[in-house]
Protein backbone atom coordinates (compact mmCIF):
# COMPACT_ATOMS: atom_id res chain seq x y z
CA UNK A 1 0.00 0.00 0.00
CA UNK A 2 1.42 3.41 -0.88
CA UNK A 3 2.56 5.50 2.08
CA UNK A 4 0.03 8.22 1.21
CA UNK A 5 -2.84 5.88 2.06
CA UNK A 6 -1.39 5.07 5.47
CA UNK A 7 -0.78 8.75 6.03
CA UNK A 8 -4.35 9.60 5.14
CA UNK A 9 -5.58 7.10 7.68
CA UNK A 10 -3.31 8.55 10.36
CA UNK A 11 -4.40 12.15 9.84
CA UNK A 12 -8.13 11.40 9.49
CA UNK A 13 -9.01 12.07 13.16
CA UNK A 14 -7.19 15.40 13.00
CA UNK A 15 -9.15 16.76 10.02
CA UNK A 16 -12.66 18.19 10.29
CA UNK A 17 -13.02 18.93 6.58
CA UNK A 18 -13.56 15.44 5.21
CA UNK A 19 -13.86 16.70 1.60
CA UNK A 20 -10.41 18.23 1.78
CA UNK A 21 -9.17 14.92 3.14
CA UNK A 22 -10.69 13.03 0.19
CA UNK A 23 -8.88 15.31 -2.24
CA UNK A 24 -5.50 14.84 -0.63
CA UNK A 25 -2.48 14.88 -3.00
CA UNK A 26 1.27 15.04 -2.56
CA UNK A 27 1.05 18.83 -2.58
CA UNK A 28 -1.51 19.05 0.23
CA UNK A 29 -0.39 21.26 3.12
CA UNK A 30 -1.48 20.08 6.57
CA UNK A 31 -2.12 23.52 7.99
CA UNK A 32 -3.41 25.57 5.07
CA UNK A 33 -5.27 22.89 3.07
CA UNK A 34 -6.44 20.52 5.77
CA UNK A 35 -6.73 23.14 8.54
CA UNK A 36 -5.10 20.83 11.06
CA UNK A 37 -4.50 22.49 14.42
CA UNK A 38 -0.74 23.11 14.51
CA UNK A 39 -0.60 21.78 18.08
CA UNK A 40 -1.65 18.39 16.69
CA UNK A 41 1.37 18.08 14.37
CA UNK A 42 3.35 16.54 17.25
CA UNK A 43 0.61 13.95 17.71
CA UNK A 44 0.65 13.11 14.00
CA UNK A 45 4.42 12.62 14.15
CA UNK A 46 4.00 10.25 17.12
CA UNK A 47 1.33 8.29 15.24
CA UNK A 48 3.60 8.07 12.20
CA UNK A 49 6.50 6.82 14.34
CA UNK A 50 4.31 4.11 15.75
CA UNK A 51 2.81 3.07 12.43
CA UNK A 52 6.11 2.85 10.57
CA UNK A 53 8.36 1.80 13.44
CA UNK A 54 10.68 4.77 12.97
CA UNK A 55 12.02 7.62 15.10
CA UNK A 56 11.76 11.15 13.76
CA UNK A 57 14.24 13.74 15.00
CA UNK A 58 13.26 17.37 15.57
CA UNK A 59 14.93 18.65 12.41
CA UNK A 60 12.99 16.18 10.26
CA UNK A 61 9.80 16.89 12.15
CA UNK A 62 9.99 20.59 11.35
CA UNK A 63 9.92 19.72 7.63
CA UNK A 64 6.75 17.65 7.86
CA UNK A 65 4.22 20.27 6.83
CA UNK A 66 3.06 18.78 3.53
CA UNK A 67 2.20 15.29 2.39
CA UNK A 68 5.20 15.21 0.05
CA UNK A 69 7.72 16.29 2.72
CA UNK A 70 6.24 13.85 5.22
CA UNK A 71 6.49 10.92 2.83
CA UNK A 72 10.10 11.89 2.12
CA UNK A 73 10.93 11.84 5.85
CA UNK A 74 9.20 8.48 6.32
CA UNK A 75 11.09 6.95 3.37
CA UNK A 76 14.38 8.38 4.60
CA UNK A 77 13.91 6.96 8.11
CA UNK A 78 12.80 3.60 6.74
CA UNK A 79 15.93 3.49 4.59
CA UNK A 80 18.08 4.29 7.65
CA UNK A 81 16.41 1.45 9.52
CA UNK A 82 17.01 -0.93 6.61
CA UNK A 83 20.64 0.13 6.47
CA UNK B 1 -26.44 47.96 38.67
CA UNK B 2 -27.72 44.93 40.57
CA UNK B 3 -29.24 42.20 38.45
CA UNK B 4 -31.46 39.52 39.95
CA UNK B 5 -30.04 36.10 39.14
CA UNK B 6 -31.99 32.95 38.35
CA UNK B 7 -31.22 29.35 37.45
CA UNK B 8 -32.47 28.27 34.06
CA UNK B 9 -30.63 25.03 33.38
CA UNK B 10 -29.33 22.00 35.27
CA UNK B 11 -27.03 19.11 34.40
CA UNK B 12 -25.72 16.19 36.41
CA UNK B 13 -23.48 13.16 36.12
CA UNK B 14 -23.89 11.07 39.26
CA UNK B 15 -23.42 7.51 40.43
CA UNK B 16 -27.18 7.27 40.98
CA UNK B 17 -28.22 8.94 37.75
CA UNK B 18 -26.26 10.04 34.70
CA UNK B 19 -28.75 12.67 33.59
CA UNK B 20 -31.28 14.99 35.18
CA UNK B 21 -34.30 12.72 34.69
CA UNK B 22 -32.59 9.66 36.15
CA UNK B 23 -31.08 11.67 39.00
CA UNK B 24 -34.37 13.29 40.04
CA UNK B 25 -36.09 9.92 40.08
CA UNK B 26 -33.21 8.41 42.08
CA UNK B 27 -33.10 11.09 44.78
CA UNK B 28 -36.87 11.03 45.23
CA UNK B 29 -36.68 7.29 45.81
CA UNK B 30 -33.55 7.24 47.95
CA UNK B 31 -31.58 5.22 45.40
CA UNK B 32 -27.93 4.65 46.29
CA UNK B 33 -25.18 4.83 43.66
CA UNK B 34 -22.58 3.23 45.91
CA UNK B 35 -21.08 -0.04 44.65
CA UNK B 36 -18.35 -2.50 45.54
CA UNK B 37 -15.12 -1.33 43.84
CA UNK B 38 -12.92 -4.22 42.73
CA UNK B 39 -10.02 -1.91 41.86
CA UNK B 40 -9.93 -0.49 45.39
CA UNK B 41 -9.81 -3.99 46.84
CA UNK B 42 -7.05 -5.02 44.44
CA UNK B 43 -5.06 -1.96 45.53
CA UNK B 44 -5.57 -2.86 49.20
CA UNK B 45 -7.66 0.17 50.15
CA UNK B 46 -9.38 -0.12 53.49
CA UNK B 47 -12.52 1.37 51.90
CA UNK B 48 -13.50 -0.84 48.96
CA UNK B 49 -16.75 0.82 47.94
CA UNK B 50 -17.26 3.95 45.85
CA UNK B 51 -19.79 5.91 43.83
CA UNK B 52 -18.82 6.27 40.16
CA UNK B 53 -21.08 7.46 37.33
CA UNK B 54 -21.92 4.63 34.99
CA UNK B 55 -21.40 6.41 31.66
CA UNK B 56 -21.76 4.52 28.40
CA UNK B 57 -19.40 4.96 25.43
CA UNK B 58 -22.36 6.32 23.49
CA UNK B 59 -22.85 9.18 25.95
CA UNK B 60 -19.15 10.00 26.03
CA UNK B 61 -18.92 9.91 22.22
CA UNK B 62 -21.82 12.33 21.95
CA UNK B 63 -19.93 14.90 24.04
CA UNK B 64 -16.42 14.56 22.61
CA UNK B 65 -14.88 14.32 19.16
CA UNK B 66 -13.02 11.24 18.00
CA UNK B 67 -9.79 13.21 18.28
CA UNK B 68 -10.49 14.37 21.84
CA UNK B 69 -11.29 10.82 22.88
CA UNK B 70 -8.08 9.49 21.35
CA UNK B 71 -6.08 10.32 24.45
CA UNK B 72 -8.63 11.50 27.00
CA UNK B 73 -7.66 10.41 30.51
CA UNK B 74 -9.39 12.98 32.69
CA UNK B 75 -12.64 11.84 34.23
CA UNK B 76 -13.10 15.30 35.76
CA UNK B 77 -13.25 16.72 32.24
CA UNK B 78 -15.50 13.92 30.96
CA UNK B 79 -18.06 14.34 33.77
CA UNK B 80 -17.84 18.14 33.75
CA UNK B 81 -18.35 18.52 30.01
CA UNK B 82 -21.28 16.09 29.91
CA UNK B 83 -23.03 17.83 32.83
CA UNK B 84 -22.32 21.27 31.33
CA UNK B 85 -23.74 20.32 27.92
CA UNK B 86 -26.85 18.92 29.58
CA UNK B 87 -27.37 22.12 31.62
CA UNK B 88 -26.90 24.30 28.54
CA UNK B 89 -29.44 22.28 26.58
CA UNK B 90 -31.80 22.14 29.55
CA UNK B 91 -31.71 25.94 29.65
CA UNK B 92 -32.99 25.94 26.07
CA UNK B 93 -29.71 27.34 24.77
CA UNK B 94 -28.12 26.23 21.53
CA UNK B 95 -24.49 25.84 20.55
CA UNK B 96 -23.70 28.37 17.84
CA UNK B 97 -20.79 28.15 15.46
CA UNK B 98 -20.34 31.82 14.66
CA UNK B 99 -17.13 33.66 14.01
CA UNK B 100 -17.57 35.58 17.29
CA UNK B 101 -17.99 33.80 20.63
CA UNK B 102 -20.93 34.50 22.92
CA UNK B 103 -19.43 37.51 24.71
CA UNK B 104 -22.16 37.62 27.33
CA UNK B 105 -21.76 34.02 28.55
CA UNK B 106 -18.93 32.42 30.52
CA UNK B 107 -18.21 29.58 32.89
CA UNK B 108 -16.82 29.13 36.38
CA UNK B 109 -16.37 25.40 36.59
CA UNK B 110 -14.36 24.11 39.53
CA UNK B 111 -12.39 21.00 40.24
CA UNK B 112 -9.93 19.71 42.82
CA UNK B 113 -7.52 18.19 40.32
CA UNK B 114 -7.76 17.51 36.63
CA UNK B 115 -6.72 14.39 34.83
CA UNK B 116 -5.00 12.48 37.60
CA UNK B 117 -4.82 9.43 35.32
CA UNK B 118 -3.26 11.59 32.61
CA UNK B 119 -0.77 12.93 35.17
CA UNK B 120 0.09 9.37 36.14
CA UNK B 121 0.69 8.17 32.58
CA UNK B 122 2.62 11.37 31.79
CA UNK B 123 4.92 10.91 34.77
CA UNK B 124 5.67 7.35 33.70
CA UNK B 125 6.60 8.59 30.21
CA UNK B 126 8.80 11.39 31.52
CA UNK B 127 10.65 9.09 33.92
CA UNK B 128 11.09 6.63 31.07
CA UNK B 129 12.89 9.39 29.08
CA UNK B 130 9.93 9.61 26.68
CA UNK B 131 8.89 13.21 27.33
CA UNK B 132 8.23 13.84 23.63
CA UNK B 133 5.65 11.04 23.64
CA UNK B 134 3.35 13.11 25.87
CA UNK B 135 1.96 14.58 22.65
CA UNK B 136 -0.11 17.74 22.59
CA UNK B 137 -2.87 16.77 25.03
CA UNK B 138 -1.11 16.39 28.39
CA UNK B 139 -1.26 20.09 29.24
CA UNK B 140 -4.92 20.72 28.41
CA UNK B 141 -6.00 17.69 30.41
CA UNK B 142 -3.82 18.22 33.46
CA UNK B 143 -4.05 21.98 33.89
CA UNK B 144 -6.51 22.74 36.69
CA UNK B 145 -8.62 24.79 34.28
CA UNK B 146 -8.84 21.95 31.76
CA UNK B 147 -12.52 21.38 32.50
CA UNK B 148 -13.56 25.02 32.04
CA UNK B 149 -11.36 25.29 28.93
CA UNK B 150 -13.10 22.30 27.34
CA UNK B 151 -16.55 23.65 28.26
CA UNK B 152 -15.74 27.16 27.01
CA UNK B 153 -14.64 25.79 23.65
CA UNK B 154 -17.58 23.47 23.19
CA UNK B 155 -20.11 26.20 23.95
CA UNK B 156 -18.19 29.04 22.29
CA UNK B 157 -18.25 31.18 25.44
CA UNK B 158 -16.64 34.61 25.26
CA UNK B 159 -17.00 35.87 28.82
CA UNK B 160 -14.89 34.74 31.79
CA UNK B 161 -13.71 31.12 31.58
CA UNK B 162 -12.12 29.90 34.79
CA UNK B 163 -11.82 27.10 37.29
CA UNK B 164 -12.16 27.67 41.01
CA UNK B 165 -10.80 25.24 43.57
CA UNK B 166 -11.66 25.20 47.27
CA UNK B 167 -11.86 21.54 48.24
CA UNK B 168 -15.37 20.38 49.16
CA UNK B 169 -16.83 23.88 48.88
CA UNK B 170 -15.75 24.21 45.22
CA UNK B 171 -19.15 23.66 43.61
CA UNK B 172 -21.12 25.94 45.91
CA UNK B 173 -18.42 28.58 45.58
CA UNK B 174 -18.67 28.38 41.79
CA UNK B 175 -22.40 29.12 41.99
CA UNK B 176 -21.74 32.14 44.17
CA UNK B 177 -18.93 33.41 41.93
CA UNK B 178 -21.16 33.07 38.88
CA UNK B 179 -23.98 34.81 40.76
CA UNK B 180 -21.74 37.77 41.63
CA UNK B 181 -20.60 38.15 38.04
CA UNK B 182 -24.14 38.35 36.72
CA UNK B 183 -25.41 40.45 39.61
CA UNK B 184 -22.72 43.05 38.93
CA UNK B 185 -23.57 43.14 35.25
CA UNK B 186 -20.30 41.69 33.98
CA UNK B 187 -22.04 38.74 32.34
CA UNK B 188 -25.58 37.86 31.29
CA UNK B 189 -25.19 34.14 31.73
CA UNK B 190 -22.67 31.94 33.57
CA UNK B 191 -22.42 28.19 33.61
CA UNK B 192 -21.47 27.28 37.18
CA UNK B 193 -20.49 23.84 38.34
CA UNK B 194 -17.77 21.51 39.42
CA UNK B 195 -16.44 18.03 38.87
CA UNK B 196 -13.94 15.63 40.34
CA UNK B 197 -11.65 12.98 38.97
CA UNK B 198 -12.56 9.40 39.73
CA UNK B 199 -10.49 6.55 41.04
CA UNK B 200 -7.83 5.33 43.43
CA UNK B 201 -5.28 8.06 42.76
CA UNK B 202 -7.74 10.72 43.93
CA UNK B 203 -9.24 8.74 46.77
CA UNK B 204 -6.01 7.17 48.11
CA UNK B 205 -5.06 10.17 50.22
CA UNK B 206 -8.40 10.07 52.02
CA UNK B 207 -8.11 6.33 52.58
CA UNK B 208 -4.70 6.98 54.13
CA UNK B 209 -6.19 9.60 56.46
CA UNK B 210 -8.67 6.95 57.64
CA UNK B 211 -11.60 9.26 56.93
CA UNK B 212 -13.32 6.78 54.59
CA UNK B 213 -15.48 3.99 56.01
CA UNK B 214 -14.10 0.44 55.96
CA UNK B 215 -17.04 -1.16 57.74
CA UNK B 216 -19.41 -1.63 54.83
CA UNK B 217 -17.35 -3.29 52.10
CA UNK B 218 -19.87 -6.17 52.16
CA UNK B 219 -22.93 -3.88 51.96
CA UNK B 220 -22.01 -0.91 49.72
CA UNK B 221 -25.43 0.74 49.67
CA UNK B 222 -25.41 0.96 53.46
CA UNK B 223 -21.94 2.47 53.54
CA UNK B 224 -22.64 6.19 53.36
CA UNK B 225 -24.46 7.07 56.60
CA UNK B 226 -24.73 10.82 57.21
CA UNK B 227 -26.14 11.72 60.65
CA UNK B 228 -26.22 8.08 61.68
CA UNK B 229 -24.94 6.78 65.05
CA UNK B 230 -23.10 4.10 63.06
CA UNK B 231 -21.50 6.51 60.59
CA UNK B 232 -17.85 5.57 60.31
CA UNK B 233 -16.45 7.75 57.54
CA UNK B 234 -17.38 8.91 54.07
CA UNK B 235 -17.62 6.88 50.87
CA UNK B 236 -15.43 8.32 48.10
CA UNK B 237 -17.22 9.12 44.88
CA UNK B 238 -17.15 11.25 41.74
CA UNK B 239 -19.30 13.05 39.20
CA UNK B 240 -20.24 16.58 38.19
CA UNK B 241 -23.05 19.08 38.58
CA UNK B 242 -23.77 22.09 36.38
CA UNK B 243 -26.15 25.05 36.68
CA UNK B 244 -26.90 27.78 34.16
CA UNK B 245 -27.22 31.08 36.02
CA UNK B 246 -28.69 34.00 34.16
CA UNK B 247 -29.95 37.50 34.78
CA UNK B 248 -33.67 37.50 35.45
CA UNK B 249 -34.09 40.02 32.67
CA UNK B 250 -32.44 37.71 30.13
CA UNK B 251 -34.38 34.67 31.32
CA UNK B 252 -37.71 36.49 31.07
CA UNK B 253 -36.84 37.98 27.69
CA UNK B 254 -36.20 34.60 26.13
CA UNK B 255 -39.06 32.91 27.99
CA UNK B 256 -36.78 30.43 29.71
CA UNK B 257 -38.01 28.03 32.35
CA UNK B 258 -36.84 29.31 35.75
CA UNK B 259 -35.98 26.72 38.39
CA UNK B 260 -35.14 29.09 41.23
CA UNK B 261 -33.62 32.41 42.14
CA UNK B 262 -30.21 32.79 43.76
CA UNK B 263 -30.87 35.24 46.57
CA UNK B 264 -27.28 35.48 47.76
CA UNK B 265 -24.80 33.74 49.97
CA UNK B 266 -21.40 33.91 51.55
CA UNK B 267 -17.96 32.33 51.40
CA UNK B 268 -15.46 32.64 54.24
CA UNK B 269 -12.75 30.83 56.15
CA UNK B 270 -11.96 30.09 59.76
CA UNK B 271 -8.36 30.96 59.02
CA UNK B 272 -7.25 27.71 60.69
CA UNK B 273 -7.47 29.61 63.96
CA UNK B 274 -9.41 28.72 67.07
CA UNK B 275 -10.73 25.17 66.57
CA UNK B 276 -10.11 25.41 62.83
CA UNK B 277 -7.26 23.46 61.19
CA UNK B 278 -6.36 22.35 57.68
CA UNK B 279 -8.91 19.55 58.04
CA UNK B 280 -11.31 20.67 60.80
CA UNK B 281 -13.77 23.54 60.48
CA UNK B 282 -13.66 26.50 62.83
CA UNK B 283 -17.28 26.47 64.13
CA UNK B 284 -17.28 30.24 64.62
CA UNK B 285 -16.52 30.68 60.92
CA UNK B 286 -19.12 28.10 59.84
CA UNK B 287 -21.83 29.87 61.84
CA UNK B 288 -20.72 33.25 60.58
CA UNK B 289 -20.80 32.01 56.97
CA UNK B 290 -24.41 30.90 57.42
CA UNK B 291 -25.56 34.08 59.19
CA UNK B 292 -23.77 36.28 56.66
CA UNK B 293 -25.36 34.33 53.81
CA UNK B 294 -28.80 34.92 55.33
CA UNK B 295 -28.05 38.61 55.72
CA UNK B 296 -26.70 38.85 52.18
CA UNK B 297 -29.83 37.16 50.81
CA UNK B 298 -32.07 39.63 52.63
CA UNK B 299 -34.02 36.97 54.54
CA UNK B 300 -34.19 35.88 58.16
CA UNK B 301 -33.34 32.45 59.54
CA UNK B 302 -37.06 31.81 60.14
CA UNK B 303 -37.65 31.95 56.38
CA UNK B 304 -35.63 28.81 55.71
CA UNK B 305 -37.82 25.81 54.90
CA UNK B 306 -35.12 23.28 54.20
CA UNK B 307 -31.37 22.88 54.46
CA UNK B 308 -29.17 20.77 52.26
CA UNK B 309 -26.16 20.12 54.44
CA UNK B 310 -22.58 19.12 53.85
CA UNK B 311 -23.01 16.11 56.19
CA UNK B 312 -20.39 13.65 54.96
CA UNK B 313 -20.97 10.74 57.39
CA UNK B 314 -17.92 11.38 59.52
CA UNK B 315 -17.82 12.26 63.21
CA UNK B 316 -18.27 15.92 62.24
CA UNK B 317 -21.97 15.62 61.33
CA UNK B 318 -23.15 16.39 64.88
CA UNK B 319 -20.96 19.49 64.94
CA UNK B 320 -22.46 20.62 61.63
CA UNK B 321 -25.99 20.29 63.01
CA UNK B 322 -24.93 22.21 66.10
CA UNK B 323 -23.48 24.95 63.88
CA UNK B 324 -26.67 25.23 61.81
CA UNK B 325 -28.78 25.30 64.97
CA UNK B 326 -26.70 28.05 66.57
CA UNK B 327 -26.44 30.09 63.37
CA UNK B 328 -30.19 29.95 62.72
CA UNK B 329 -31.09 30.13 66.39
CA UNK B 330 -33.53 27.30 65.74
CA UNK B 331 -33.62 23.89 67.42
CA UNK B 332 -35.92 21.01 68.30
CA UNK B 333 -39.13 21.03 66.28
CA UNK B 334 -38.46 24.60 65.18
CA UNK B 335 -35.47 23.50 63.09
CA UNK B 336 -35.97 23.39 59.29
CA UNK B 337 -35.96 20.12 57.39
CA UNK B 338 -32.43 18.99 56.60
CA UNK B 339 -31.05 16.37 54.25
CA UNK B 340 -27.78 15.10 52.88
CA UNK B 341 -27.29 13.84 49.33
CA UNK B 342 -24.17 11.98 50.41
CA UNK B 343 -26.20 9.09 51.86
CA UNK B 344 -27.03 8.17 48.26
CA UNK B 345 -23.96 9.25 46.31
CA UNK B 346 -21.14 9.31 48.85
CA UNK B 347 -18.76 12.23 48.90
CA UNK B 348 -17.76 13.45 45.44
CA UNK B 349 -15.20 15.89 46.91
CA UNK B 350 -14.86 18.96 44.68
CA UNK B 351 -18.04 17.96 42.81
CA UNK B 352 -20.12 17.74 46.00
CA UNK B 353 -21.24 21.37 46.11
CA UNK B 354 -22.52 21.58 42.56
CA UNK B 355 -24.18 18.14 42.56
CA UNK B 356 -25.90 19.03 45.82
CA UNK B 357 -26.92 22.45 44.47
CA UNK B 358 -28.57 20.65 41.54
CA UNK B 359 -30.43 18.39 43.99
CA UNK B 360 -31.37 21.43 46.09
CA UNK B 361 -32.75 23.39 43.15
CA UNK B 362 -34.73 20.37 41.94
CA UNK B 363 -36.38 20.15 45.37
CA UNK B 364 -37.39 23.80 45.33
CA UNK B 365 -38.65 23.72 41.76
CA UNK B 366 -40.64 20.51 42.21
CA UNK B 367 -41.72 20.95 45.84
CA UNK B 368 -40.23 17.86 47.41
CA UNK B 369 -37.68 16.95 50.09
CA UNK B 370 -35.66 13.90 49.16
CA UNK B 371 -35.24 11.25 51.86
CA UNK B 372 -32.12 10.80 53.96
CA UNK B 373 -31.01 7.22 53.63
CA UNK B 374 -28.97 5.15 56.10
CA UNK B 375 -29.76 7.25 59.15
CA UNK B 376 -32.50 5.12 60.69
CA UNK B 377 -30.19 5.08 63.74
CA UNK B 378 -29.92 8.84 64.15
CA UNK B 379 -26.88 9.99 66.11
CA UNK B 380 -27.90 10.77 69.73
CA UNK B 381 -25.97 14.05 69.72
CA UNK B 382 -28.06 15.18 66.75
CA UNK B 383 -31.30 14.11 68.45
CA UNK B 384 -30.32 16.29 71.38
CA UNK B 385 -30.25 19.35 69.15
CA UNK B 386 -33.05 18.90 66.62
CA UNK B 387 -36.24 16.87 66.39
CA UNK B 388 -35.88 13.62 64.39
CA UNK B 389 -38.84 14.71 62.24
CA UNK B 390 -36.60 17.41 60.77
CA UNK B 391 -34.54 14.64 59.17
CA UNK B 392 -36.98 12.90 56.81
CA UNK B 393 -36.23 9.31 55.91
CA UNK B 394 -39.10 9.20 53.41
CA UNK B 395 -39.87 11.48 50.49
CA UNK B 396 -41.90 14.53 51.51
CA UNK B 397 -43.99 16.39 48.97
CA UNK B 398 -44.37 19.90 50.30
CA UNK B 399 -44.42 23.41 48.99
CA UNK B 400 -41.04 24.98 49.62
CA UNK B 401 -39.89 28.56 49.29
CA UNK B 402 -36.37 28.95 50.64
CA UNK B 403 -33.51 26.49 50.81
CA UNK B 404 -30.10 27.03 52.39
CA UNK B 405 -27.21 25.00 51.06
CA UNK B 406 -23.71 24.87 52.50
CA UNK B 407 -20.44 23.03 52.10
CA UNK B 408 -17.30 23.06 54.22
CA UNK B 409 -13.86 22.07 52.99
CA UNK B 410 -10.22 21.41 53.76
CA UNK B 411 -8.37 24.63 54.34
CA UNK B 412 -11.11 25.62 56.81
CA UNK B 413 -13.21 27.11 53.99
CA UNK B 414 -16.99 27.53 53.94
CA UNK B 415 -19.66 28.40 51.39
CA UNK B 416 -23.38 28.93 51.89
CA UNK B 417 -25.91 29.83 49.20
CA UNK B 418 -29.59 30.73 49.58
CA UNK B 419 -32.02 29.63 46.86
CA UNK B 420 -35.63 30.74 46.53
CA UNK B 421 -38.43 29.31 44.47
CA UNK B 422 -39.15 31.70 41.63
CA UNK B 423 -42.66 32.99 41.33
CA UNK B 424 -43.74 35.31 38.58
CA UNK B 425 -45.23 38.42 40.18
Amino acid sequence: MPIINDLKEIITPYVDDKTALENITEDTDFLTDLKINSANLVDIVLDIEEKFGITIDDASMNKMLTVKATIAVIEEKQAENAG
Amino acid sequence: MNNRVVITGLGIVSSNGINLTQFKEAIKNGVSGIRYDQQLEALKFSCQISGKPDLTDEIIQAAFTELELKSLESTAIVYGVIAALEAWKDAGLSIENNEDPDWESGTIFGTGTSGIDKIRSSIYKVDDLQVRRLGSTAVAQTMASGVSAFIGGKLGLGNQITTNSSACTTGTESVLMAYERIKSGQATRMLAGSSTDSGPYIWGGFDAMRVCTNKHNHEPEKGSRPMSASASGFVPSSGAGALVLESLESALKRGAKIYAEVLGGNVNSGGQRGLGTMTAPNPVAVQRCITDAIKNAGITSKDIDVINGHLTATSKDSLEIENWSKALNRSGKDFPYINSLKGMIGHPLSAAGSMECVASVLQLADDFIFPNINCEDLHPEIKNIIDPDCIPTKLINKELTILAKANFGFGDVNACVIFKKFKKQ
Side-chain angles (χ1 to χ4, degrees), chain A residues 17-36:
Chain A
D17 185 348
K18 300 300 173 195
T19 318
L21 191 64
E22 280 313 307
N23 298 327
I24 189 171
T25 69
E26 284 221 331
D27 295 322
T28 302
D29 183 290
F30 291 147
L31 302 183
T32 55
D33 297 326
L34 297 181
K35 308 277 187 292
I36 289 174

Side-chain angles (χ1 to χ4, degrees), chain B residues 64-79:
Chain B
F64 294 92
T65 66
E66 184 191 355
L67 179 58
E68 287 166 338
L69 288 174
K70 208 164 166 269
S71 58
L72 192 55
E73 291 181 275
S74 171
T75 42
I77 291 174
V78 172
Y79 303 151

Side-chain angles (χ1 to χ4, degrees), chain B residues 259-311:
Chain B
Y259 282 100
E261 179 169 2
V262 183
L263 286 186
N266 184 249
V267 292
N268 78 355
S269 169
Q272 301 175 45
R273 296 292 186 271
L275 294 176
T277 66
M278 174 60 80
T279 56
N282 177 343
V284 179
V286 168
Q287 291 166 33
R288 188 185 170 94
C289 181
I290 295 166
T291 52
D292 283 354
I294 288 168
K295 216 178 294 170
N296 179 263
I299 60 163
T300 71
S301 70
K302 297 283 177 208
D303 298 327
I304 296 171
D305 298 307
V306 58
I307 294 167
N308 183 257
H310 186 55
L311 300 168

Side-chain angles (χ1 to χ4, degrees), chain A:
Chain A
M1 192 157 78
I3 288 177
I4 192 168
N5 289 356
D6 284 335
L7 192 57
K8 195 170 154 187
E9 198 180 308
I10 286 169
I11 61 176
T12 297
Y14 301 94
V15 182
D16 283 335
D17 185 348
K18 300 300 173 195
T19 318
L21 191 64
E22 280 313 307
N23 298 327
I24 189 171
T25 69
E26 284 221 331
D27 295 322
T28 302
D29 183 290
F30 291 147
L31 302 183
T32 55
D33 297 326
L34 297 181
K35 308 277 187 292
I36 289 174
N37 179 343
S38 59
N40 286 138
L41 291 179
V42 298
D43 302 311
I44 292 174
V45 169
L46 292 177
D47 292 348
I48 289 171
E49 288 188 337
E50 201 167 310
K51 174 81 186 175
F52 294 97
I54 55 177
T55 305
I56 298 168
D57 56 278
D58 288 350
S60 302
M61 186 174 148
N62 291 337
K63 289 186 229 156
M64 295 167 66
L65 293 170
T66 63
V67 170
K68 189 192 252 171
T70 302
I71 292 174
V73 168
I74 294 169
E75 284 174 342
E76 182 195 326
K77 299 299 168 190
Q78 281 179 322
E80 282 172 20
N81 275 2

